[in-house]
Structures are given as structure tokens and as C-alpha cells.
């Protein structure tokens, strides 16, 4: 019988100062900043062959050795991961990109990539003895945590801004979590969760305020590598809020190189995409800062990236810099158009966050930063179906008793 933590985990490490922490106990932040999980990668490489993954289960738990959960512990899973990587020629052509792909994270148990983080973090929290979890959320993380907490038999508390999308409120209530609408932003919700740690004895599951959601998000990078035959794309455009997706993928790529499963020269350029309505990371990058000032009056319909202050800001900015990537802020008023464009050309229902990546790709093609033949990937982090309040969906009525005028039924637009 092994312990709650994978024995290949060598230690945990403060991201701000490299300070080593022993695995096997609960951690939140170190010096007010996130904590990395570090592995004995030489031992991992000796134990598992990258080609073995292909024959395993179609979930992120196929990468079991690369994840922090102890080998004998049952994960809390709803079958998340191994989402399709879709070749998008028609949309690519419109963007001037000959090799354009969408990894469709909307095909997840609760419809967003937050399930990756929650499956791993809830598994770890339960195995380390937690029975109450709390989270501030822009929406999808709360809906996802509510589901995984229910699956694990943990009590869940969710705090969300009062204008959080209706589907996310439904997800929380439906899964039996305690949920509240707060008259503020996700950062205000985060303060409530922090203040409740002692009186409520709950564990804070905020983005990057425990070490394991990031490990779950890392599997996006592992899947991408496996699905492309262990060769990475040239550019990844990522809608960036708290940044776990971008940071997690970059961590995955670095680990894959150290494992000898990828060529060191093969790393993609990472692009953080935000809306002009909330772009603290873009602003910090443009000003050459490693830490981002809080973005005042953050407002965007892309609720998943409405994060005015990110505790992992420097980790996002470091990954962009190390990868030779860049940042892009896109026009808030065009987000619905990009959602529609992707749905009409490829049948892929992008959420508003990922739709920003369409605008960003176009902008980077126009500036010449993105070459026409660069293999480019975006992630559909959460599908349009989570945002019906954003979509016009009026259809004309048809009288079943009337004679149908076939010639004018669906006039071809001029
Ligand atoms: C949470 C979320 C994001 C931002 O993710 P981070 O990795 O935390 O930056 C983007 N899109 C959707 C749909 C989300 O739910």
C-alpha cells in the first residue's frame, strides 16, 4: 500500500523562491504564491514508456504516473480528458492558417476544461483527508467542483459574482453544493473563501491556491503531445484568466523534454489571449512587468477570463517569455461574431473565451507574427452551450396547416 501521494513526486516547490516542501500534507500557498509539484523524472522515465499510454483508458488518468495521486488511491473521475483534437481547414482558411486545430474541451463531463483540474484536485484533497471544499469562481470552476465534490462525497461551498452565467448557477445548485451570488468580482469571492478558512474549516480550492488543479490542467499538454505523435505544434493561443491552462501546459512540455519524450527544440510559442475588457496580463507584458497590477472595472462577456488579478501572474508571464510567445488583447464587441464564425464554418460551438483566440489569430496573422504555415492550436475551454444568454436564438414559426412556399422557404442570402 502506497501513500496518498504518488511516490514519483520528489517534493513540492514554492514557485516564487524554489523553497522545497515535503509531499504528503495539505498545502495552499507558499509566501503568498503558488506551489509546483516536482517529480523524479528520471525514475518516471525508467518506469513508463510513452507509447504505453495509447492502449490505456481514454481519460486523463491514463497519465497516472505523471499525476500526483498515490498509485493505490481510486481517483475521483467522471471520465474527463482525451478530448478530440480537430483539424479545422475551413476556419483556418478564413484566418490565413494552413494548419489550424481546435482541441475541444467542451466535450468534458461538465462542459469545460475545469474538470481536469477538479478531478485531480478533488482526488488529492480527499486522499489527504479534506471533507469540505470552497471555491471562488467565474462560473465553470464552481460548476465543475460541485460535480466532483458530489462524486467524492465532499461538502462544497461556491461563491460567484452575481452576474455569473445561469448555467453555472444551475450546476452548483443541481449538484447540491452550497452556493452564493456575491455583489463583486471573482477576487471579492476569493476574499470570502480565504476569510472562511478558519471559521468554516474548509479547504481553499481557488485557482493556483492549492498545488493540484495545475497538475490536472497539465494533461492538456500531455494529450496534445500524444495526439500529435509526440511533436508539438508551433503556436498555442490560450484564453487566459487565472492562467492554470497555459502554465500547466508549459509545465507539461518541460517535463516531457526532461523525460526524453520530446525534442527540446520542439517547444511551441505560448500566446495569452485576453479581452480588452479585462487584460491585466497583456498590460503587464507590454509594460515589461513580471507581476500584473489588478485590472480596474473588469468587464467582459467572456466570464471565464474575467479575472482582474491572478496569483500566478508571474508564472504566466514567465511561460510566455521562455517560449518566445506574446500577448494579445482583442475587441470585446466582436466576441459573439467569432463564436458564430467558428460554429458556422466548423460546427464547433466555441465559448466566448476561446472565441477571443479567433480574433487573436487574425490579429497575429495581420501583424505577421503568426506565419501562414505555423501549426496553430486553440482550445475550446468551455462550449457555447454554457452561454445561451449570449446567443440570439430566435427562429421563425412555421404553421403546419398552411401551404409551404418552397421557393421562398430559405432564400439564399445575396
Ligand atoms: C476558466 C476558464 C478559462 C481561463 O482558464 P485559466 O486556465 O484559469 O486561465 C478560459 N475559458 C473558460 C471557458 C474557462 O472556464
Amino acid at each position: 500500500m502506497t501513500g496518498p501521494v504518488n511516490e514519483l513526486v520528489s517534493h513540492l516547490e514554492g514557485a516564487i523562491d524554489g523553497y522545497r516542501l515535503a509531499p504528503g500534507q495539505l498545502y495552499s500557498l507558499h509566501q503568498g504564491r503558488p506551489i509546483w509539484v516536482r517529480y523524479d523524472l528520471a525514475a518516471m522515465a525508467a518506469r513508463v514508456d510513452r507509447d504505453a499510454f495509447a492502449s490505456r483508458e481514454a481519460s486523463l488518468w491514463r497519465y497516472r504516473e505523471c499525476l500526483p495521486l498515490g498509485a493505490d488511491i481510486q481517483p475521483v473521475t467522471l471520465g474527463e480528458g482525451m478530448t478530440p483534437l480537430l483539424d479545422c481547414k475551413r476556419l483556418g482558411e478564413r484566418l490565413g492558417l494552413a494548419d489550424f486545430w481546435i482541441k475541444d474541451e467542451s466535450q468534458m463531463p461538465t462542459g469545460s476544461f475545469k474538470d481536469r483540474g477538479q478531478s485531480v484536485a478533488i482526488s488529492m484533497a480527499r486522499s489527504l483527508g479534506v471533507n469540505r471544499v470552497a471555491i471562488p469562481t467565474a462560473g465553470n470552476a464552481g460548476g465543475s467542483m460541485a460535480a466532483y465534490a458530489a462524486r467524492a462525497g465532499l461538502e462544497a461551498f461556491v461563491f460567484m459574482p452575481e452576474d455569473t452565467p445561469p448555467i453555472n448557477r444551475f450546476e452548483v445548485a443541481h449538484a447540491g453544493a452550497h452556493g452564493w451570488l456575491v455583489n463583486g468580482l471573482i477576487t471579492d469571492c476569493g476574499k470570502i473563501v480565504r476569510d472562511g478558512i478558519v471559521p468554516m474549516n474548509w479547504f481553499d480550492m481557488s485557482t493556483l491556491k492549492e498545488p493540484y488543479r495545475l497538475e490536472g490542467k497539465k494533461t492538456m499538454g500531455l494529450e496534445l503531445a500524444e495526439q500529435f505523435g509526440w511533436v508539438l505544434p508551433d503556436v498555442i493561443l490560450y484564453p487566459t484568466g487565472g492562467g492554470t491552462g497555459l502554465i500547466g501546459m508549459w509545465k507539461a512540455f518541460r517535463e516531457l523534454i526532461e523525460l526524453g519524450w520530446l525534442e527540446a527544440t520542439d517547444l511551441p510559442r505560448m500566446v495569452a489571449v485576453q479581452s480588452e475588457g479585462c487584460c491585466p496580463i497583456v498590460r503587464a507584458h507590454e509594460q515589461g512587468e513580471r507581476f500584473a497590477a489588478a485590472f480596474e472595472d473588469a468587464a467582459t462577456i467572456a466570464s471565464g477570463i474575467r479575472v482582474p488579478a491572478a496569483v500566478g501572474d508571474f508564472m504566466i508571464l514567465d511561460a510566455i517569455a521562455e517560449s518566445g510567445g506574446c500577448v494579445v488583447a482583442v475587441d470585446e464587441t466582436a466576441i459573439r461574431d467569432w463564436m458564430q464564425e467558428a460554429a458556422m464554418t466548423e460546427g464547433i460551438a466555441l465559448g466566448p473565451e476561446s472565441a477571443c483566440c479567433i480574433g487573436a489569430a487574425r490579429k497575429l496573422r495581420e501583424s505577421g507574427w503568426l506565419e501562414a504555415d505555423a501549426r496553430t492550436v486553440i482550445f475550446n475551454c468551455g462550449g457555447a452551450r454554457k452561454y445561451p444568454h449570449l446567443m440570439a436564438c430566435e427562429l421563425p414559426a412555421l404553421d403546419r396547416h398552411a401551404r409551404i412556399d418552397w421557393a421562398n422557404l430559405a432564400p439564399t442570402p445575396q
Side-chain angles (χ1 to χ4, degrees):
M1 188 71 192
T2 58
V5 181
N6 181 352
E7 60 186 26
L8 292 171
V9 172
S10 56
H11 61 285
L12 279 71
E13 185 186 299
I16 197 73
D17 59 2
Y19 186 83
R20 290 172 75 103
L21 302 155
Q25 60 196 76
L26 280 174
Y27 290 106
S28 299
L29 296 171
H30 167 75
Q31 302 286 358
R33 292 292 183 170
I35 293 172
W36 296 115
V37 180
R38 296 299 188 198
Y39 299 84
D40 180 344
L41 295 170
M44 192 186 291
R47 187 171 305 182
V48 55
D49 173 5
R50 74 174 190 197
D51 298 321
F53 297 126
S55 58
R56 295 189 183 174
E57 68 189 290
S59 97
L60 61 78
W61 292 99
R62 66 171 34 195
Y63 304 111
R64 190 71 200 242
E65 291 88 345
C66 312
L67 294 172
L69 191 66
D72 297 332
I73 311 280
Q74 271 300 112
V76 180
T77 179
L78 295 164
E80 55 293 318
M82 289 314 285
T83 54
L85 178 60
L86 304 167
D87 186 355
C88 296
K89 292 204 170 58
R90 289 159 55 85
L91 184 53
E93 199 172 311
R94 293 173 63 95
L95 298 171
L97 287 166
D99 197 4
F100 180 67
W101 300 73
I102 297 179
K103 188 155 165 65
D104 192 5
E105 298 287 295
S106 73
Q107 298 187 35
M108 283 282 202
T110 77
S112 92
F113 82 127
K114 292 292 192 299
D115 293 343
R116 296 183 185 273
Q118 291 302 330
S119 177
V120 174
I122 290 283
S123 296
M124 289 304 293
R126 188 174 69 172
S127 81
L128 290 167
V130 168
N131 47 39
R132 266 189 164 183
V133 286
I135 196 167
T137 180
N140 290 328
S144 177
M145 192 190 82
Y148 283 88
R151 181 89 167 144
L154 305 186
E155 197 178 1
F157 298 79
V158 181
F159 299 85
M160 47 176 65
E162 59 194 352
D163 52 354
T164 297
I167 297 235
N168 299 131
R169 301 182 218 168
F170 161 80
E171 288 169 331
V172 169
H174 193 57
H178 308 281
W180 288 270
L181 297 176
V182 177
N183 57 342
L185 292 172
I186 186 170
T187 34
D188 301 302
C189 300
K191 180 174 185 309
I192 295 171
V193 169
R194 204 161 56 243
D195 291 348
I197 292 172
V198 171
M200 294 299 288
N201 192 31
W202 60 41
F203 187 66
D204 184 348
M205 294 285 279
S206 303
T207 299
L208 289 169
K209 292 187 183 168
E210 56 74 57
Y212 302 113
R213 278 175 66 184
L214 187 63
E215 292 301 295
K217 299 292 182 72
K218 181 177 88 173
T219 61
M220 283 192 292
L222 302 178
E223 287 178 23
L224 198 61
E226 187 186 343
Q227 289 173 320
F228 274 135
W230 305 99
V231 179
L232 294 177
D234 299 308
V235 174
I236 294 175
L237 302 176
Y238 198 83
T240 304
T244 46
L246 192 148
I247 300 165
M249 269 192 277
W250 188 245
K251 181 175 192 283
F253 300 153
R254 304 294 300 258
E255 289 177 358
L256 288 171
I257 285 168
E258 233 178 286
L259 284 160
W261 296 350
L262 279 181
E263 298 294 332
T265 51
D266 187 37
L267 286 165
R269 288 175 279 161
M270 307 294 288
V271 180
V273 178
Q274 299 190 308
S275 160
E276 282 168 355
C278 181
C279 54
I281 299 299
V282 173
R283 213 171 44 184
H285 187 269
E286 284 170 352
Q287 295 170 354
E289 304 286 346
R290 191 175 178 224
F291 300 97
F295 197 89
E296 300 294 328
D297 302 319
T300 170
I301 60 167
S303 44
I305 54 173
R306 192 175 58 169
V307 181
V311 68
D313 49 2
F314 66 107
M315 299 155 88
I316 304 171
L317 289 159
D318 287 354
I320 293 166
E322 282 171 31
S323 75
C326 71
V327 295
V328 184
V330 298
D331 178 6
E332 171 69 23
T333 63
I335 293 175
R336 284 185 177 85
D337 297 340
W338 295 320
M339 292 172 75
Q340 180 101 65
E341 183 178 10
M344 288 181 60
T345 53
E346 298 288 358
I348 300 174
L350 290 186
E353 299 83 2
S354 299
C356 291
C357 296
I358 302 296
R362 201 166 261 135
K363 227 172 163 172
L364 292 175
R365 276 295 295 131
E366 280 163 12
S367 75
W369 191 91
L370 187 54
E371 308 82 7
D373 62 348
R375 173 168 280 182
T376 304
V377 177
I378 73 170
F379 286 73
N380 185 19
C381 296
R385 285 171 191 81
K386 286 216 154 185
Y387 307 82
H389 58 292
L390 297 183
M391 312 306 290
C393 39
E394 293 303 316
L395 298 178
L398 187 63
D399 181 358
R400 67 193 170 95
H401 300 298
R403 229 180 106 241
I404 295 175
D405 175 9
W406 295 110
N408 288 306
L409 183 71
T412 319
Q414 292 308 306

